Amino acid sequence: MNSAWLMRSHLCGARGYASRYTVLSHQIPKKSRSVTRVLSPIPHRLYSQTPIIQDQHEAGPRVAVVGSGPAGFYTARKLMREVHGTKVDMYEQLPVPFGLVRFGVAPDHPEVKNCQDEFEEVASSSDFTFIGNLHLGSDIPLPILANHYDAIVFSYGASKDQKLGLTGEDKPHIYSARAFVGWYNGLPKYRNLDPDLRSGETAIVVGQGNVALDVARILLSKTEDLQKTDLTEYAIQALNQSRIKRVHVVGRRGPMQAAFTIKEVRELIQLDDVNFEAIPEDLFPPDLSKLGRPKKRLMQLLQKGKPHNPTAAKTWSLDFLLAPTSLEWSENDANELKGVTFTKTQLEDIADPSSKVSSTSETTTIPTSTLFRSIGYKAEPIPGMDLIGAAFNERSGTLNHDGYGRIIPLDEISGKPGSTHPAALYCAGWVKRGPTGVIASTMADAFQTAEAIVQDWKHKATSGTSNNGQAKQGWSGVQADAQAQGIRLDNVVTWDGWHRINALERKVGQERGKPREKIGVVDEMVKVAGAA
């Protein structure tokens, strides 16, 4: 995969690009896989503008996609382009689509959100239906869903935070990076987080992935620059009153093992009026010329750093080889954070990206009033998954599958003697491989899952009908069953409803000199959408 294609994919805005790549099953943790049969490799052709050869009068599969982020939309796009007549119903628990593109991408990275234009094209098809503001498993039991689709694709994200495991971690002034990002991006769940950014001048971010750097950049950026983005107005006001001037981004390993990308680091280093503390030379490999180009460029950037500006208003640092061991609190106030104590760690080989790390007996305490944890996330199961045959691995936060996204393939359902599964099951995105990668890797992963469905359908593993010979009814069938069981679906938001929300957000944003002002309350979204 060449770097130019990767950049286009990362920006998520280019159309018509194709690449020959293979997503390997080793991306899936071995403990979370459930391989039930021998599979042929997925072909390199994972993207096509031309539908597969098929009778134009033959119906394609009726597919439910659970989750409206990049994984869901890229899966839907490939299916609809490659199998003529495929009908996709996309289920989303929020009234608005796009998942982490809307609620996770940093506001000062608007180019990454351009993929929404591609997703709008998918949604404009008469074969696509958006069902927003519906909580599967509670509003609608999953068995009802399974009765009306040939296949269900679980493509939702990771909503559960990994914790540090420290005593007092749930006290005030300690925040999940995910919650903080959701707060400033207008995610309703975190609308009332109200982080206290005025209690002191120092903040610590534990974790050294791109999300950790996003948090640091938002804390350090000038609010006049953020005002031009779609950062929520309440977040602008809070950041404008922030006293934080010093940010430590802390990791238990070294520069070669850090998870951040060069783009994210460069943006932080180049922030105006912000100093970057030099990294000790002994943390770098002695000979950078032996490294591959991406790692070499990243190490050179970190080594070069930035000239010190004695008048800079703020400072940040990358603090390596530190593992948090305890939280320190004020003697006068048990809820007043005073610092974090870290155990110093050591690497077997600083030049090895996968080097083992071990603890030493030495500790250090960094004074701070605010702590953000950014050490990873996990997906959670939807209630009732087990009732339709989906096995969720609680440890990894992923669905068990064959390495290509098949949970229950099409050839094990409808029409096959002895079948006990009403719908085939697949997965894509973070609930398939874990919460790692950028949009480019999510797209590749989604295409892999879609290709598995295409292959299964192309091989005529199913006739596209239920066991009684009737075609699957999709959303209309779900609605009929819900009505028969007395389940009310009055507040479901359609794609037209999303457009009404979108129009109002853009209008209010334009009045304030920004791309949009997000509505951060579900009831308000539903009212604007006209669903109530």
Side-chain angles (χ1 to χ4, degrees):
M1 187 185 302
N2 63 52
S3 59
W5 184 90
L6 180 61
M7 179 57 67
R8 290 198 299 272
S9 301
H10 180 67
L11 296 184
C12 195
R15 296 190 186 92
Y17 50 81
S19 179
R20 296 175 65 83
Y21 54 84
T22 302
V23 182
L24 302 177
S25 62
H26 68 240
Q27 289 178 320
I28 311 304
K30 290 183 179 179
K31 292 183 179 180
S32 70
R33 293 186 213 153
S34 176
V35 181
T36 58
R37 61 176 185 170
V38 178
L39 298 165
S40 59
I42 297 295
H44 285 278
R45 179 194 56 77
L46 294 181
Y47 180 85
S48 173
Q49 295 281 358
T50 306
I52 61 173
I53 298 174
Q54 180 178 343
D55 185 342
Q56 295 295 300
H57 299 290
E58 183 180 352
R62 175 82 68 166
V63 180
V65 173
V66 180
S68 66
F73 267 104
Y74 281 126
T75 301
R77 187 181 75 172
K78 182 172 177 61
L79 285 174
M80 293 169 70
R81 286 186 171 180
E82 294 218 4
V83 182
H84 177 78
T86 297
K87 295 185 181 299
V88 171
D89 295 341
M90 183 171 284
Y91 290 83
E92 168 60 51
Q93 67 176 357
L94 288 170
V96 293
F98 306 141
L100 285 182
V101 175
R102 176 179 169 96
F103 294 116
V105 172
D108 54 346
H109 289 170
E111 73 281 359
V112 182
K113 302 183 182 186
N114 290 340
C115 56
Q116 293 175 86
D117 295 337
E118 294 181 69
F119 302 159
E120 284 280 356
E121 289 183 5
V122 174
S124 68
S125 169
S126 60
D127 289 329
F128 179 94
T129 301
F130 177 74
I131 302 115
N133 196 40
L134 191 68
H135 289 251
L136 294 177
S138 55
D139 294 342
I140 289 287
L142 282 179
I144 289 182
L145 203 71
N147 286 334
H148 296 286
Y149 291 95
D150 296 301
I152 298 174
V153 181
F154 294 103
S155 59
Y156 60 93
S159 58
K160 184 178 181 181
D161 294 296
Q162 299 276 22
K163 290 195 172 184
L164 300 171
L166 304 180
T167 301
E169 191 173 345
D170 294 323
K171 287 186 177 182
H173 306 289
I174 300 174
Y175 307 99
S176 153
R178 175 184 174 84
F180 185 67
V181 170
W183 169 76
Y184 66 62
N185 270 324
L187 183 62
K189 181 179 180 180
Y190 300 115
R191 171 67 173 81
N192 297 319
L193 182 69
D194 193 24
D196 183 358
L197 307 178
R198 296 167 297 188
S199 58
E201 296 186 352
T202 302
I204 292 176
V205 184
V206 176
Q208 292 184 332
N210 284 341
V211 174
L213 297 196
D214 281 346
V215 170
R217 192 177 65 257
I218 293 298
L219 291 172
L220 296 166
S221 294
K222 295 179 178 179
T223 51
E224 53 263 39
D225 294 331
L226 296 175
Q227 183 70 59
K228 303 169 187 175
T229 72
D230 65 357
L231 196 80
T232 56
E233 195 62 31
Y234 60 77
I236 290 289
Q237 294 174 9
L239 290 165
N240 202 37
Q241 298 172 13
S242 171
R243 292 179 55 210
I244 294 174
K245 298 180 180 179
R246 176 74 170 85
V247 178
H248 296 265
V249 182
V250 186
R252 61 192 293 266
R253 300 192 294 173
M256 281 289 292
Q257 296 79 32
F260 49 66
T261 58
I262 190 170
K263 177 180 181 292
E264 300 288 338
V265 176
R266 182 184 293 115
E267 286 184 338
L268 260 172
I269 291 177
Q270 293 177 347
L271 276 181
D272 184 42
D273 203 27
V274 178
N275 277 328
F276 172 54
E277 288 194 356
I279 299 172
E281 283 293 325
D282 61 0
L283 294 181
F284 293 98
D287 187 359
L288 298 186
S289 65
K290 296 181 179 180
L291 302 179
R293 187 170 182 270
K295 277 292 184 184
K296 178 181 177 181
R297 291 175 60 230
L298 178 57
M299 294 304 106
Q300 288 174 334
L301 174 66
L302 293 176
Q303 266 191 331
K304 180 180 179 182
K306 182 179 185 180
H308 181 76
N309 176 7
T311 64
K314 298 180 180 180
T315 303
W316 77 287
S317 62
L318 286 166
D319 300 287
F320 297 102
L321 301 180
L322 296 175
T325 53
S326 65
L327 304 172
E328 310 304 326
W329 304 93
S330 168
E331 294 180 357
N332 301 321
D333 185 349
N335 290 322
E336 182 183 350
L337 182 66
K338 301 298 291 185
V340 181
T341 296
F342 296 87
T343 294
K344 293 186 178 181
T345 61
Q346 58 187 7
L347 294 165
E348 286 187 0
D349 183 357
I350 60 170
D352 180 2
S354 58
S355 175
K356 292 182 179 179
V357 61
S358 59
S359 298
T360 70
S361 59
E362 191 175 354
T363 62
T364 185
T365 298
I366 301 178
T368 190
S369 57
T370 309
L371 173 65
F372 298 90
R373 63 172 180 266
S374 184
I375 58 172
Y377 318 105
K378 291 171 66 176
E380 297 181 280
I382 295 174
M385 277 183 161
D386 57 324
L387 299 178
I388 61 173
F392 191 87
N393 188 316
E394 294 281 357
R395 182 175 179 181
S396 65
T398 58
L399 283 160
N400 291 345
H401 60 96
D402 68 352
Y404 297 99
R406 295 179 178 94
I407 300 171
I408 299 174
L410 280 162
D411 61 359
E412 292 186 12
I413 61 146
S414 316
K416 185 175 181 179
S419 171
T420 58
H421 305 297
L425 304 178
Y426 297 82
C427 56
W430 284 6
V431 76
K432 172 186 173 186
R433 72 180 191 277
T436 60
V438 295
I439 289 177
S441 53
T442 296
M443 179 177 66
D445 174 85
F447 282 1
Q448 181 196 43
T449 294
E451 182 67 17
I453 301 172
V454 169
Q455 283 191 349
D456 293 350
W457 190 261
K458 184 178 179 180
H459 293 157
K460 304 298 183 183
T462 177
S463 64
T465 59
S466 60
N467 287 334
N468 61 9
Q470 298 298 313
K472 299 296 179 77
Q473 297 300 307
W475 173 231
S476 62
V478 171
Q479 288 176 293
D481 275 8
Q483 184 177 11
Q485 296 184 27
I487 300 173
R488 297 181 63 87
L489 301 174
D490 298 335
N491 291 331
V492 168
V493 174
T494 66
W495 198 253
D496 286 341
W498 150 243
H499 280 166
R500 286 189 281 274
I501 295 170
N502 184 45
L504 180 60
E505 289 183 342
R506 288 184 176 276
K507 178 178 181 295
V508 175
Q510 186 176 16
E511 293 169 354
R512 298 178 180 177
K514 58 199 301 188
R516 72 171 65 240
E517 183 62 45
K518 294 173 185 171
I519 301 171
V521 179
V522 168
D523 288 346
E524 292 182 15
M525 292 179 184
V526 172
K527 183 177 180 180
V528 172

